[in-house]
Amino acid sequence: MVSSGEVATDFCTQVAQEKKVAHLHILESDITSLNKMRLVLEKIKVPIIAVEEHRQFGSLGTVLKTLNLKSEIISYNVNDKWPIYGGSHYEVLDYLDFSISDLKKQVSKFLKG
């Protein structure tokens, strides 16, 4: 898993420990910064789950796909709904179908093949 963002990184840290999968946190997820990390990213030979609490358009997964890495890129991010109420960062993301329980399901499904 590769994460960008506070909540995404929190979720990935927990899931990585529980599911025994690798996690790389990226501070800067723009094309220029990721291109500088290309040598590191190209060493990853398994599919990458890009976890980010933003919409698909312009997301970490999209930028990683733009780099044409050899690994398959799977995006896990929020849906296209708009929040209809306030709340904590976690509550709003949960409303947008971005939750640790759903991420665990996605990772489990991926690990089963």
Side-chain angles (χ1 to χ4, degrees):
M1 292 181 297
V2 175
S3 69
S4 176
E6 175 186 348
V7 176
T9 300
D10 178 32
F11 287 175
C12 285
T13 301
Q14 293 179 54
V15 172
Q17 291 173 351
E18 181 180 317
K19 302 287 184 184
K20 307 291 189 242
V21 295
H23 170 228
L24 172 66
H25 171 66
I26 294 179
L27 290 174
E28 298 173 355
S29 59
D30 59 278
I31 190 77
T32 304
S33 299
L34 289 172
N35 211 15
K36 290 177 185 176
M37 292 184 60
R38 188 179 196 96
L39 290 175
V40 172
L41 293 167
E42 285 190 340
K43 290 181 181 181
I44 301 172
K45 302 297 183 199
V46 297
I48 297 170
I49 300 174
V51 182
E52 181 180 29
E53 61 230 48
H54 300 104
R55 295 184 184 349
Q56 179 72 28
F57 185 76
S59 69
L60 174 61
T62 302
V63 175
L64 289 173
K65 288 176 186 177
T66 302
L67 293 176
N68 290 319
L69 301 173
K70 294 176 181 146
S71 298
E72 176 186 3
I73 309 297
I74 302 160
S75 291
Y76 180 77
N77 45 21
V78 301
N79 62 32
D80 288 330
K81 293 190 294 187
W82 288 97
I84 57 172
Y85 67 93
S88 72
H89 197 169
Y90 289 87
E91 290 168 332
V92 171
L93 290 171
D94 186 57
Y95 175 76
L96 299 174
D97 298 327
F98 188 90
S99 66
I100 191 163
S101 61
D102 191 46
L103 178 59
K104 286 179 185 180
K105 287 177 194 171
Q106 295 294 323
V107 170
S108 293
K109 184 171 114 178
F110 168 74
L111 291 173
K112 288 178 185 173

